[in-house]
Amino acid sequence: MENLGDRAKNKFRESGTQYGLFTRGGATAAAHNTQLNLDRNPSHIAIKIDFKNAFNSIPRTHVLNELYARSEFAGLHQFAYWAYGQPSHLLVRSAQGAIAAVIQSAEGVRQGCALGSLAYGVATLTLLSKIKESFKDIEIAAYLDDVSISGSQKSALAAFEQLAKEASAIGLEIQREKCEVLIPKDGKVSEELQRVVAQHGFQMQRGALPLLGTAVGTDPKEIQRFVSEKLEKWKKVLEWLTREEIPTQLALREGGP
């Protein structure tokens, strides 16, 4: 992947949608992109979208077609065909290490595969770019299969509806009960937003929304509460880092064979 030419890497950078590949600090960049759009207008909302088993369910035919259609990725075409051109075996081992079952891996990209993230990113790049181009007043930021849409209530909801439709057409299902919508803490909720939230079973958040390991929103107190709760969960680990033994263990790990 690192040997890919600049043309291939720039496909993701120039799209302004996929921050999970070839973007330094991609998760932070995606979260900041969403936050900037919320700061731009206090009435803006953000929708955090969850796909059901995205990596394992995206059709391989679609993955390979999208990859083959892009000449800048030609250096990976044969490798991709070798990895995903036909089903492969997944071995299930017992606690004793014996092979207990063999499962056919026929769809999706495999977890841990060197091509997995790149193949998924290429397969969904057209989808994400199409949404961005269709709605000029929204931002869509993805970190691989973690996607957020931000903008005015009307445009963000319309963009979500189109994303759900386009995703379904390529074999990706949005897990609506795990999607969340952020509205301003004291903002008015339109009838359309209420309808969509009720229809899809979204979780509604006011003021702040957890996103890619941080929080975005328009309520500093809610964001501070989120950070405080995270720090509390990590309190024991942070305390361990102050112990004299820890630097020694880290040194052995970094300097080991």
Side-chain angles (χ1 to χ4, degrees), residues 11-85:
K11 276 294 179 182
F12 295 99
R13 298 164 181 161
E14 293 169 358
S15 75
T17 61
Q18 181 56 264
Y19 295 84
L21 293 155
F22 308 115
T23 301
R24 184 172 297 176
T28 301
H32 282 178
N33 179 288
T34 302
Q35 181 64 57
L36 286 171
N37 204 19
L38 293 172
D39 292 339
R40 190 174 295 124
N41 189 320
S43 67
H44 280 178
I45 66 170
I47 304 174
K48 185 169 71 172
I49 300 159
D50 183 86
F51 290 102
K52 185 176 181 180
N53 203 19
F55 269 52
N56 292 327
S57 62
I58 191 166
R60 289 186 182 174
T61 299
H62 177 74
V63 171
L64 293 176
N65 285 342
E66 287 291 303
L67 192 64
Y68 295 161
R70 299 178 182 275
S71 61
E72 56 269 27
F73 294 101
L76 292 177
H77 289 176
Q78 288 186 329
F79 185 23
Y81 181 77
W82 171 77
Y84 294 111

Side-chain angles (χ1 to χ4, degrees), residues 171-188:
L172 286 177
E173 179 185 351
I174 289 181
Q175 200 160 212
R176 298 168 187 263
E177 66 275 11
K178 289 190 175 181
C179 294
E180 297 179 78
V181 57
L182 169 70
I183 64 172
K185 184 176 181 181
D186 301 317
K188 295 182 179 179

Side-chain angles (χ1 to χ4, degrees), residues 47-49 51 128 140-149 163:
I47 304 174
K48 185 169 71 172
I49 300 159
F51 290 102
L128 298 174
I140 181 166
Y143 188 81
L144 295 177
D145 59 334
D146 291 313
V147 181
S148 65
I149 294 174
L163 177 67

